[in-house]
Amino acid sequence: ILTLAIVEHLFMILPLPAELLWRWSLRSRRTGTAQDPAAHVRKSWTASLPGQCDTQGLQDLLEAGARGAFGEVERINGIARARSGWVHFEMVYGRSSVASFAPRTPEEPRVVAVGRGVDEVGLQAAFDACATAA
């Protein structure tokens, strides 16, 4: 125990950066490389949803987003009109859900996606296809 105490005190007095000591555990937090600093930047994408959405198509779209079909998307949230009324949909870190939603005020159908490297064109095309399939 005395040896461990001496080693601990040496680490406390030596001018070592914390990242040097903990680099082995911080590797999992890095998503980009030093050559690509934009890979660390979280982006958001917002769009309005015209028309009605097919709920099964919406569920399929969210599952595709969870698998990485639209880039590294962490979250997709929104509300949409469906045949049965309004629905709230969400995909957060791989888990998706679509549920009935009763708006209290006049709402506009919309979607927001957040992540690193969000494929905005692909998401827009997928939501447009979902609306035309209804």
Side-chain angles (χ1 to χ4, degrees):
I1 293 177
L2 178 62
T3 305
L4 289 175
I6 292 171
V7 170
E8 178 185 9
H9 281 86
L10 285 175
F11 278 121
M12 289 181 0
I13 62 170
L14 290 175
L16 294 172
E19 185 179 330
L20 182 64
L21 293 173
W22 296 104
R23 185 178 300 159
W24 62 273
S25 68
L26 295 173
R27 279 189 211 137
S28 64
R29 294 187 183 195
R30 294 187 187 135
T31 56
T33 62
Q35 294 86 359
D36 186 13
H40 294 291
V41 177
R42 183 177 288 152
K43 297 179 183 179
S44 66
W45 169 80
T46 305
S48 35
L49 301 174
Q52 294 182 348
C53 284
D54 173 47
T55 54
Q56 184 58 48
L58 195 54
Q59 183 70 40
D60 294 343
L61 187 152
L62 294 174
E63 290 173 7
R67 289 190 306 269
F70 307 111
E72 192 178 335
V73 179
E74 297 170 5
R75 173 183 294 261
I76 299 173
N77 284 14
I79 56 174
R81 289 187 187 101
R83 290 182 192 151
S84 59
W86 285 84
V87 293
H88 173 264
F89 57 91
E90 179 176 57
M91 187 282 295
V92 180
Y93 293 109
R95 295 182 177 229
S96 61
S97 67
V98 177
S100 296
F101 172 72
R104 290 185 225 159
T105 61
E107 293 280 356
E108 291 295 320
R110 63 190 180 278
V111 60
V112 176
V114 177
R116 293 170 175 87
V118 176
D119 178 11
E120 298 174 5
V121 174
L123 271 172
Q124 185 67 56
F127 276 103
D128 289 344
C130 178
T132 59

